[in-house]
Amino acid sequence: MGLRGVLGALSRRAMDGGLGVRSPPFVSHPGAAEDQSAKLKPYQQKDWRYAPRFLTPLKPHTVLRGQDCTMTCAFLGNPRPTVTLYKGDVNITANSKFWYNSTSGVCTIVIPTCTLKDSGEYSVVVENELGKDRSSCTLTVYGEGAAPVGPGR
């Protein structure tokens, strides 16, 4: 028998199952598929919501009269918290003297051309339906040749 005869005999054996073709190793019982659904844990959706909290709080600042002051803080919260700015107990969020930006959990407040009247306590309050958090700091503005003038001095 030549090479063609040997190859022909092998291909006929393969077609009739004579080569001993085995089931893949991941099938535990050939021909019988098990129902695995009874062994699965039910899906439980995770609640990704959480109350706001500060990662990096505001820090105290001391500046010379006429200089700009830039304060920053970082926070987390889901749903995204609203941001409110205060000087003492007064809401300054919409005050045109102050500039602020709150993007991706970082709040930046700029007080341009500080005067002695800008000295005081500043706060950022972040709030969502699950809670709120506050971060505060003191800004001290001093004049040239003078000692720093802080709140209550």
Side-chain angles (χ1 to χ4, degrees), residues 85-150:
L85 309 178
Y86 292 91
K87 179 180 180 206
D89 294 329
V90 179
N91 183 332
I92 60 169
T93 308
N95 187 323
S96 61
K97 175 173 174 37
F98 306 98
W99 177 88
Y100 92 98
N101 184 31
S102 180
T103 307
S104 300
V106 176
C107 182
T108 303
I109 307 162
V110 177
I111 305 168
T113 319
C114 290
T115 67
L116 297 177
K117 290 181 181 180
D118 292 321
S119 292
E121 182 178 87
Y122 289 82
S123 301
V124 175
V125 174
V126 289
E127 182 173 11
N128 68 16
E129 62 201 41
L130 300 173
K132 69 179 178 178
D133 198 7
R134 173 185 289 260
S135 178
S136 301
C137 73
T138 301
L139 169 62
T140 303
V141 180
Y142 63 97
E144 283 189 49
V149 177

Side-chain angles (χ1 to χ4, degrees), residues 2-126:
L3 182 58
R4 284 185 187 200
V6 170
L7 290 176
L10 287 174
S11 67
R12 281 190 299 279
R13 279 174 116 189
M15 284 187 191
D16 69 10
L19 285 181
V21 177
R22 294 186 290 159
S23 298
F26 54 84
V27 176
S28 59
H29 300 289
E34 289 184 47
D35 181 11
Q36 297 290 324
S37 63
K39 296 180 182 177
L40 296 175
K41 294 180 184 175
Y43 175 74
Q44 292 182 358
Q45 186 169 350
K46 175 130 173 77
D47 185 2
W48 293 102
R49 301 173 319 138
Y50 49 94
R53 66 182 176 91
F54 282 94
L55 298 174
T56 306
L58 292 171
K59 294 176 177 45
H61 285 72
T62 302
V63 299
L64 180 64
R65 182 177 55 207
Q67 289 183 328
D68 296 346
C69 178
T70 302
M71 304 179 195
T72 59
C73 57
F75 59 89
L76 288 175
N78 191 26
R80 182 179 310 184
T82 58
V83 176
T84 309
L85 309 178
Y86 292 91
K87 179 180 180 206
D89 294 329
V90 179
N91 183 332
I92 60 169
T93 308
N95 187 323
S96 61
K97 175 173 174 37
F98 306 98
W99 177 88
Y100 92 98
N101 184 31
S102 180
T103 307
S104 300
V106 176
C107 182
T108 303
I109 307 162
V110 177
I111 305 168
T113 319
C114 290
T115 67
L116 297 177
K117 290 181 181 180
D118 292 321
S119 292
E121 182 178 87
Y122 289 82
S123 301
V124 175
V125 174
V126 289

